[in-house]
Amino acid sequence: MQMTRWLAAAAALATLAAPAAMAQSAAALTADATTPGDVLTYGMGYNNQRYSPLKQIDAGNVGKLVPKWSYSLNNPQGQESQPIVHEGVMYVTTHSATMAIDPLTGRQIWKSEIELPQDVFKMACCGILNRGAAIYEGKLYRVTLDAQVIALDAKTGKQLWKSKAADYQNGHAMTGAPLVANGVVMTGIAGGEYGTRGFIDGWDPATGKQLWRLYTTAAPGEKGGDTWPGDTHSKGGAPTWLTGAYDPELDLVYWGTGNGGPWNAELRKGDNLYICSVLAFRPKTGQLVWHYQFSPNDPYDYDATEVGMLVDMNVAGQPRKVLMQANRNGFFYVLDRANGKLLAANPYVKVNWADRIDLASGRPVESEVTKRVRAGGDEMVWPSVLGGKNWQPMSWNPATGLAYANTLNISWPYKLAKAEYKKGEWYLGVDFRGVDMPKDQPHGYLSAIDPLTGKSKWQMAWPGQPSMAGTLSTGGGLVFTGAATGEFMAVDAGNGKPLWQFQTGSGIIGLPVTWEHQGKQYVSITVGAGGVWALLGDERMAATPAGGSLWTFALP
């Protein structure tokens, strides 16, 4: 009866989202950012802006928001999955299962379990988790911790194909949501701490056949190969564990790459292309068109895996198509996304590893702190290994012209050490002693950042633990995000004033989304403490219960 009702309602929802004939098509994916009835892509649109024009819920009434339902994910690990919503069905993932749920009631429609080898759990660097799925032409795509790519029937959950991307026993893992663009399924890889070589894969969506592979460290004889001494590229890292963005007009996919391996950069002297970079390439072939490297020869694990957002804006009085990224190295970058030209780069948090970014060369001007580190010194470095912002995506509001991000105010003690490669073990080469969190200051903020200056219009300090949750911006003038202690909340996008919060029962490190059905706006979020923050062993997390769940809220 329930499914019959949903089939009848599908036409109404599809009218809001896209014509029924376009369902899950390339055209529907392209239109995702402007069709608020559904959520078809990671980032709520190819531009990864995580902005919705929906405004039924606004600053005047958000205080009345109530939970409509909660669904147990039956999983005690950290939950970072972004829900997908399509034609009356919500899809969400954990590391061990994929679920289809009625988004109005929270009732489970189907659940597809994943069998994983037991030794895979000791290989996952920074949390046993999954960040979501992709949907296209009746299939749901996801990846697994043992480096497999899976296609499921979106109606039944039945597995249609499964393809192996890498050998997890070498340290590779897969956690990011796939990206479907120009008829190709694309996936990244994790494992930068294990002496692996990063890559991005393109897959045939119908069969699972590998179409191409773009390696993210340059080999001898390739362009950029001379930036790696000897064969260091083969264990050079540059993982690609988050999802890219896509510009259909330029037909360019933008994908971020991570740290070099080992962290001890003195063992791989050179720029080490293409670590800590954004790569712009063709989705059909994987052909690299341009790249920009944020942190050449990075010693600090300053990943650029969170690719940022594609925004059309005025720069110096001229309209520009830009890519903006709040890099983990503490600088906020604005690039021309057609050619990779640097337009702006300014610190958005405290930075002492570099004095500035040279706009002419695009390169950082390393500080005396970094010079002493490279000479073997023991220094306190800002920002920490967690970055000025960690993996969690930010959002954009075109009305305010501001980017909303959960930023970090943390440093770390850094000293080089010897590095020895052992298969399946961490390959760092530093004296890792965690991070430093002074008790007399906030350790993180919800920040409203001007992309061209890096300055915050306002900041809301997080008491105690900083937030590792994503943000969502809406046409109602709101920013939704979550706290490490479990509060899901909405703040005023103009001034940062908290307007509403609800205790969900566990820490939030997930990604909120909003959607509409028959004229009513809903907001959904995955909940479950864990992830990289939990690995630091912060004793304050002991007061936050574990346990994964999915919540949906609406006005009464």
Side-chain angles (χ1 to χ4, degrees):
M1 187 70 180
Q2 189 78 350
M3 287 300 295
T4 301
R5 179 174 64 81
W6 266 115
L7 289 171
L13 182 57
T15 299
L16 291 171
M22 289 171 55
Q24 307 168 45
S25 67
L29 296 182
T30 299
D32 189 34
T34 57
T35 53
D38 53 24
V39 179
L40 298 181
T41 58
Y42 187 84
M44 297 176 57
Y46 277 146
N47 57 24
N48 208 31
Q49 291 182 14
R50 299 186 178 274
Y51 170 80
S52 171
L54 293 176
K55 55 185 179 181
Q56 183 182 88
I57 303 170
D58 59 26
N61 61 25
V62 69
K64 300 177 182 179
L65 210 60
V66 294
K68 304 303 289 186
W69 54 263
S70 175
Y71 170 84
S72 172
L73 296 171
N74 191 30
N75 187 295
Q77 304 294 337
Q79 305 302 325
E80 297 181 358
S81 176
Q82 181 208 286
I84 293 290
V85 184
H86 176 63
E87 288 192 350
V89 182
M90 178 179 288
Y91 302 94
V92 69
T93 63
T94 65
H95 81 278
S96 58
T98 310
M99 284 74 69
I101 300 161
D102 180 326
L104 296 186
T105 67
R107 185 185 68 84
Q108 180 178 296
I109 298 171
W110 55 256
K111 183 174 185 177
S112 177
E113 302 275 3
I114 295 172
E115 293 186 9
L116 293 166
Q118 287 303 303
D119 61 341
V120 76
F121 299 110
K122 68 179 183 180
M123 305 295 291
C125 158
C126 305
I128 298 170
L129 48 84
N130 184 271
R131 296 187 175 90
I135 192 167
Y136 179 62
E137 293 187 341
K139 298 180 181 67
L140 202 69
Y141 303 92
R142 63 158 296 162
V143 298
T144 66
L145 281 176
D146 60 342
Q148 309 272 352
V149 186
I150 297 174
L152 305 173
D153 186 300
K155 291 184 178 180
T156 66
K158 178 184 177 182
Q159 182 174 301
L160 301 175
W161 56 255
K162 183 177 183 179
S163 297
K164 181 178 178 180
D167 184 351
Y168 73 90
Q169 292 182 325
N170 290 329
H172 283 302
M174 301 180 85
T175 56
L179 173 68
V180 181
N182 202 348
V184 177
V185 178
M186 282 158 282
T187 58
I189 197 75
E193 282 66 49
Y194 289 88
T196 59
R197 186 186 186 195
F199 54 83
I200 304 161
D201 282 328
W203 308 90
D204 184 306
T207 66
K209 177 184 177 183
Q210 187 182 71
L211 301 176
W212 50 259
R213 170 165 289 182
L214 172 59
Y215 279 106
T216 52
T217 67
E222 297 177 349
K223 185 179 180 180
D226 58 352
T227 65
W228 293 90
D231 69 345
T232 53
H233 76 283
S234 65
K235 298 179 177 61
T240 53
W241 43 271
L242 285 176
T243 310
Y246 177 54
D247 185 328
E249 292 183 4
L250 296 174
D251 191 33
L252 286 176
V253 169
Y254 307 90
W255 211 288
T257 71
N259 60 282
W263 288 359
N264 185 337
E266 296 305 294
L267 301 179
R268 45 175 170 81
K269 290 186 177 182
D271 281 358
N272 308 143
L273 293 174
Y274 299 92
I275 72 166
C276 300
S277 300
V278 59
L279 307 183
F281 60 87
R282 302 294 180 201
K284 279 292 188 185
T285 62
Q287 176 191 0
L288 185 63
V289 175
W290 62 258
H291 78 277
Y292 178 87
Q293 189 172 43
F294 301 96
S295 304
N297 190 238
D298 164 51
Y300 301 125
D301 189 29
Y302 287 155
D303 280 345
T305 46
E306 205 287 286
V307 69
M309 306 182 295
L310 310 184
V311 176
D312 295 346
M313 62 185 297
N314 284 333
V315 179
Q318 298 295 320
R320 303 294 288 262
K321 293 181 179 295
V322 308
L323 180 150
M324 58 178 67
Q325 185 186 110
N327 194 273
R328 270 175 55 171
N329 70 16
F331 289 92
F332 200 109
Y333 293 80
V334 179
L335 307 174
D336 185 312
R337 68 176 184 263
N339 54 31
K341 176 180 171 57
L342 178 63
L343 303 176
N346 295 285
Y348 66 97
V349 294
K350 181 176 178 179
V351 174
N352 76 351
W353 73 273
D355 293 330
R356 61 187 175 87
I357 306 299
D358 183 81
L359 287 180
S361 66
R363 300 176 65 87
V365 178
E366 292 189 345
S367 68
E368 292 300 319
V369 169
T370 293
K371 292 176 183 177
R372 290 194 295 267
V373 162
R374 292 190 182 279
D378 194 341
E379 298 287 334
M380 192 64 69
V381 178
W382 293 83
S384 78
V385 64
L386 296 173
K389 179 180 75 64
N390 201 252
W391 77 274
Q392 65 272 20
M394 57 185 175
S395 60
W396 174 255
N397 187 321
T400 65
L402 298 172
Y404 299 91
N406 279 312
T407 62
L408 301 172
N409 184 38
I410 303 172
S411 61
W412 65 321
Y414 189 93
K415 190 176 189 301
L416 298 176
K418 292 182 179 180
E420 181 182 357
Y421 173 77
K422 294 182 180 179
K423 178 181 175 180
E425 296 185 13
W426 277 33
Y427 182 52
L428 300 185
V430 301
D431 179 13
F432 186 61
R433 291 161 282 169
V435 299
D436 185 67
M437 301 175 62
K439 295 182 179 180
D440 60 346
Q441 56 187 285
H443 301 133
Y445 301 88
L446 175 61
S447 302
I449 305 170
D450 180 332
L452 293 177
T453 67
K455 297 184 182 302
S456 292
K457 179 180 179 181
W458 55 256
Q459 290 187 314
M460 183 191 79
W462 291 105
Q465 302 175 65
S467 174
M468 292 281 185
T471 69
L472 162 69
S473 298
T474 72
L478 300 173
V479 179
F480 288 91
T481 192
T485 46
E487 292 84 7
F488 186 46
M489 58 175 38
V491 307
D492 189 305
N495 57 29
K497 178 183 177 181
L499 300 174
W500 168 85
Q501 69 177 31
F502 179 86
Q503 174 56 248
T504 60
S506 184
I508 298 176
I509 56 174
L511 310 175
V513 297
T514 188
W515 48 280
E516 184 181 59
H517 180 67
Q518 295 184 345
K520 191 173 184 68
Q521 183 181 357
Y522 299 83
V523 184
S524 300
I525 180 74
T526 51
V527 172
V532 68
W533 184 252
L535 299 182
L536 295 175
D538 187 355
E539 66 277 4
R540 289 169 296 185
M541 286 197 67
T544 303
S549 58
L550 173 63
W551 290 80
T552 290
F553 300 84
L555 295 173

